[in-house]
């Protein structure tokens, strides 16, 4: 891509991708690469429009012998550099400062005082103390701290327990902060990153989804040529946008395979076929593979095992369908950044993996298809904007995310057809009532006010009373969260009246369920999905 760019070096933080999302929110293109790239790579980036470098956080200690070091070329590239948390400590250590273990760790909310009127922080504050000191409300996550500044640096920020919470060498354009500006809990975080990339680095704002369409179409045409492409269509936002984008690029060279694995939402198969095939003119093959998937999942309770089985069966179905398409050379998938993040936490593999995704990790050689992932470097909000730019209906574009393994990871423990049927009906009631309930102040439905909402089937039974009789039936949990990036999320404070109505309808209309609970866990420490 011919964009001015910010290079983000990833040292294994769980929130590295948030840095990229914030940078892109400013209209600036950026890429994430492993923190241990060679000096030659940095020099190649300089030839491709490199304007600045950001060093991510990490769970490691910068002074540990096995920890990754920042490539020397980073500090010789002649572009501004911003270090965040571990990135700050590595910058300090490698440029002649000192970093030590702190006996007063900081995790969570903190108030930082700005010093020195540096270009990065001047004029940015959340409140002012009685002494006239400008203060920032930030999010910290560190157990080490910089105890001595490198030559040429001055202190830029501090907290009562961390004297050097920020430092700068403005002559060379080097800045570093101990807190995390990429997370939403740092109130001025977006402003700090925007100032760094647009004012200090001088990047132009030329990154947006309407313009990206032409770039992506050209790239797909260059990759694919005259080959045929097969795409696994789930009906979710990601695969639908991928289908629309590829169809725009190569038309009838694309064939979508919609696999009904028996773990879809209520009436989803019909809705997908109506939208994609009839309204958008995309060629879609509908494969009913419910028996195949259910058979393979029988007796399997471990969530990772279930994901791997579902992923493997998807590949087998695609392999069978691609054999019928003699010119098919590519398998397209709607993989996006969050998929990659939670499978390996980052491209470095240095962070702790949370769970795998069925559409991440490559393909077996026996498939004989090359992989086409046009959305792999896009965030969910970028995918949605791309979908609108491609002309997809808003009701499809803003549909809540649905996992690739479908209800297979929303049924805890073993997956059975009986469980899936109960969950489908309960989930449909929940989503319907969210759509039908309007929040007065905003005028929006609670479906639109939540980022993701769904029902989870619990493999336990509870005693209940219906009429004069005793029941011993299943339990479901409702889950609704609000988030801007899906890396962190708060549980949605749904009105009691709404929860009461959903509970009443599920218990009265879905025979086999007699108890409904509501999940009030945020991410972290929980994940959005239960498995």
């Amino acid at each position: 891509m011919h964009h001015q760019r910010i290079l983000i070096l990833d040292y294994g933080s769980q929130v590295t991708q948030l840095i990229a999302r914030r940078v892109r929110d400013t209209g600036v293109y950026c890429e994430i690469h492993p923190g241990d790239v060679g000096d030659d790579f940095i020099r190649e980036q300089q030839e491709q429009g490199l304007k600045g470098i950001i060093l991510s956080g990490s769970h490691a200690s910068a002074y540990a012998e096995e920890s990754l070091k920042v490539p020397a070329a980073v500090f010789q590239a002649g572009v501004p550099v911003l270090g965040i948390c571990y990135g700050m400590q590595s910058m300090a250590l490698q440029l002649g400062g000192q970093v030590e273990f702190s006996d007063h760790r900081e995790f969570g909310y903190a108030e930082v005082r700005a010093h020195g009127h540096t270009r990065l922080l001047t004029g940015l504050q959340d409140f002012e103390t009685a002494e006239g000191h400008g203060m920032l409300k930030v999010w910290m996550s560190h157990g080490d701290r910089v105890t001595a500044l490198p030559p040429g640096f001055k202190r830029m920020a501090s907290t009562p327990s961390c004297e050097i919470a920020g430092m700068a060498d403005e002559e060379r354009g080097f800045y570093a902060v101990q807190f995390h500006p990429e997370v939403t809990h740092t109130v001025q975080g977006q402003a700090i990153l925007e100032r760094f990339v647009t004012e200090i680095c001088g990047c132009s704002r030329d990154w947006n989804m309407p313009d990206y369409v032409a770039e992506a179409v050209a790239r797909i045409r260059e990759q694919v040529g005259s080959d045929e492409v097969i795409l696994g269509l789930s009906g979710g936002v990601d695969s639908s946008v991928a289908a629309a984008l590829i169809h725009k690029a190569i038309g009838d060279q694309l064939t979508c395979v919609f696999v009904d694995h028996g773990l879809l939402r209520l009436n989803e198969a019909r809705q997908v076929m109506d939208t994609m095939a009839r309204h958008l003119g995309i060629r879609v093959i509908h494969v009913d593979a419910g028996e195949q998937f259910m058979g393979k999942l029988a007796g399997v309770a471990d969530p990772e095992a279930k994901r791997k089985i579902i992923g493997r069966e998807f590949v087998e179905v695609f392999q069978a369908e691609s054999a019928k398409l003699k010119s098919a050379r590519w398998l397209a998938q709607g993989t996006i950044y969050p998929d990659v993040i939670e499978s390996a936490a980052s491209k470095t593999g240095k962070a702790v993996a949370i769970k795998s995704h069925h559409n991440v990790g490559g393909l077996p050689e026996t498939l004989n298809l090359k992989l086409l992932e046009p959305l792999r470097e896009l965030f969910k909000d970028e995918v949605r904007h791309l979908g609108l730019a491609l002309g997809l209906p808003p009701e499809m574009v803003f549909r809540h995310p649905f996992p690739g393994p479908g209800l297979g990871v929303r049924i805890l423990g073993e997956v059975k057809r009986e469980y899936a049927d109960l969950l489908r009906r309960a989930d449909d009631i929940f989503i319907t009532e969210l759509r039908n309930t309007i929040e007065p102040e905003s005028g929006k439905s609670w479906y639109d006010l939540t980022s993701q909402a769904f029902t989870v089937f619990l493999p336990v039974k509870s005693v209940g009373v219906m009429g004069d009789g005793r029941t011993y039936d299943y339990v479901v949990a409702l889950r609704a969260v609000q988030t801007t990036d899906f890396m962190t999320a708060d549980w949605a404070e749904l009105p009691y009246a709404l929860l009461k109505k959903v509970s009443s309808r599920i218990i009265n209309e879905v025979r086999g369920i007699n108890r409904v609970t509501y999940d009030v866990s945020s991410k972290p420490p929980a994940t959005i999905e239960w498995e």
Side-chain angles (χ1 to χ4, degrees):
M1 290 189 223
H2 304 291
H3 294 276
Q4 294 179 342
R5 64 184 59 199
I6 296 294
L7 170 63
I8 300 168
L9 293 183
D10 179 19
Y11 292 95
S13 168
Q14 293 283 359
V15 294
T16 296
Q17 308 289 355
L18 288 185
I19 305 172
R21 186 183 181 279
R22 304 295 178 225
V23 170
R24 290 190 187 180
D25 279 348
T26 70
V28 173
Y29 179 70
C30 62
E31 290 183 356
I32 296 177
H33 290 278
D36 56 354
V37 295
D39 289 345
D40 287 344
F41 176 81
I42 303 298
R43 287 188 279 269
E44 289 171 6
Q45 289 285 307
Q46 288 178 268
E47 297 171 2
Q48 298 174 21
L50 180 66
K51 299 288 286 183
I53 299 172
I54 299 177
L55 311 175
S56 85
S58 174
H59 59 282
S61 293
Y63 50 75
E65 186 175 342
E66 68 276 9
S67 294
L68 294 179
K69 302 299 185 286
V70 177
V74 166
F75 303 117
Q76 301 163 2
V79 298
V81 181
L82 173 63
I84 297 174
C85 196
Y86 176 91
M88 169 175 165
Q89 294 165 8
S90 293
M91 180 187 292
L93 203 59
Q94 292 180 225
L95 296 181
Q98 292 182 4
V99 177
E100 299 176 2
F101 173 77
S102 175
D103 56 4
H104 190 107
R105 300 182 298 172
E106 289 182 303
F107 291 95
Y109 176 79
E111 295 176 354
V112 169
R113 175 186 169 187
H115 298 269
H117 303 290
T118 59
R119 192 176 176 191
L120 183 66
L121 299 182
T122 295
L124 297 179
Q125 65 180 52
D126 294 310
F127 67 97
E128 196 172 280
T129 66
E131 297 79 17
H133 300 144
M135 304 292 290
L136 295 169
K137 298 179 179 179
V138 305
W139 190 73
M140 290 277 200
S141 181
H142 70 102
D144 299 326
R145 61 181 177 181
V146 176
T147 55
L149 292 168
F153 279 78
K154 64 180 178 181
R155 184 173 61 157
M156 183 171 66
S158 66
T159 70
S161 59
C162 184
E163 184 178 347
I164 304 174
M167 63 182 193
D169 179 343
E170 298 206 272
E171 186 174 333
R172 290 186 286 178
F174 295 166
Y175 298 85
V177 292
Q178 186 59 66
F179 57 87
H180 287 264
E182 68 271 30
V183 302
T184 55
H185 306 77
T186 297
V187 178
Q188 298 294 333
Q190 182 66 35
I192 291 170
L193 288 172
E194 184 168 357
R195 178 171 291 180
F196 178 73
V197 301
T198 61
E199 296 182 23
I200 295 174
C201 297
C203 291
S204 57
R205 302 173 188 262
D206 61 354
W207 174 254
N208 61 79
M209 288 302 100
D211 290 344
Y212 177 73
V213 171
E215 292 182 26
V217 164
R219 191 191 309 170
I220 292 168
R221 287 173 179 167
E222 183 180 359
Q223 277 185 278
V224 171
S226 60
D227 294 339
E228 287 191 16
V229 177
I230 184 172
L231 181 145
L233 184 66
S234 71
V237 176
D238 305 331
S239 65
S240 298
V241 172
L245 178 61
I246 297 170
H247 185 258
K248 183 177 181 65
I250 60 174
D252 288 342
Q253 291 170 241
L254 170 68
T255 298
C256 292
V257 176
F258 175 60
V259 179
D260 186 346
H261 47 27
L263 298 167
L264 300 172
R265 290 168 285 199
L266 192 66
N267 300 322
E268 187 160 24
R270 185 177 69 245
Q271 293 169 1
V272 169
M273 295 301 293
D274 284 346
T275 302
M276 303 304 292
R278 292 184 178 86
H279 296 166
L280 298 178
I282 298 174
R283 184 164 57 194
V284 182
I285 297 171
H286 182 191
V287 181
D288 186 352
E291 291 299 327
Q292 176 180 339
F293 278 81
M294 287 295 182
K296 297 292 185 180
L297 289 167
V300 179
D302 179 74
E304 274 298 287
K306 289 192 294 185
R307 286 178 178 273
K308 290 175 181 176
I309 289 170
I310 292 170
R312 185 181 67 237
E313 295 308 306
F314 260 100
V315 170
E316 288 191 7
V317 171
F318 289 145
Q319 192 165 16
E321 292 302 323
S322 66
K324 303 173 187 177
L325 301 169
K326 302 303 181 183
S327 300
R329 298 290 182 270
W330 298 83
L331 173 62
Q333 296 186 147
T335 307
I336 64 172
Y337 253 177
D339 298 335
V340 180
I341 296 166
E342 293 198 343
S343 290
S346 72
K347 291 182 180 178
T348 66
K350 298 295 180 181
V352 179
I354 305 301
K355 59 186 176 183
S356 65
H357 286 258
H358 76 284
N359 57 346
V360 176
L363 300 169
E365 292 182 6
T366 55
L367 193 56
N368 297 318
L369 292 175
K370 292 176 282 188
L371 194 58
L372 179 65
E373 296 178 313
L375 310 180
R376 186 180 177 90
E377 303 302 331
L378 299 184
F379 292 100
K380 178 69 74 173
D381 59 327
E382 291 178 317
V383 172
R384 294 188 194 280
H385 289 306
L386 179 60
L388 293 176
L390 288 165
L392 291 176
E395 58 269 22
M396 172 182 284
V397 170
F398 291 103
R399 192 180 189 187
H400 287 184
F402 188 61
L407 301 182
V409 291
R410 291 180 178 173
I411 298 171
L412 304 193
E414 183 181 3
V415 176
K416 296 182 180 180
R417 187 175 295 279
E418 172 199 359
Y419 299 166
D421 290 339
L422 290 173
L423 179 56
R424 248 188 291 273
R425 294 166 59 200
D427 186 69
D428 184 66
I429 290 172
F430 184 30
I431 297 303
T432 297
E433 293 303 332
L434 284 172
R435 290 187 184 278
N436 291 342
T437 306
I438 305 300
E439 196 278 319
E441 188 172 329
S442 66
K444 296 181 179 180
S445 74
W446 273 102
Y447 183 85
D448 293 329
L449 291 173
T450 53
S451 307
Q452 192 167 354
F454 54 91
T455 308
V456 180
F457 183 88
L458 307 182
V460 296
K461 286 188 171 183
S462 71
V463 174
V465 178
M466 287 190 179
D468 294 323
R470 174 186 183 273
T471 63
Y472 189 56
D473 288 328
Y474 291 105
V475 181
V476 294
L478 308 178
R479 177 76 158 145
V481 299
Q482 294 173 315
T483 178
T484 58
D485 47 47
F486 290 87
M487 294 299 299
T488 61
D490 292 322
W491 60 276
E493 297 185 31
L494 300 180
Y496 288 155
L498 170 58
L499 292 172
K500 182 178 181 179
K501 185 173 185 180
V502 172
S503 175
S504 176
R505 281 197 60 192
I506 290 175
I507 291 171
N508 281 287
E509 297 176 30
V510 185
R511 185 179 296 274
I513 296 174
N514 71 354
R515 193 175 297 270
V516 177
T517 65
Y518 187 54
D519 182 350
V520 293
S521 309
S522 294
K523 176 186 179 181
T527 55
I528 294 177
E529 297 284 351
W530 279 43
E531 288 191 343

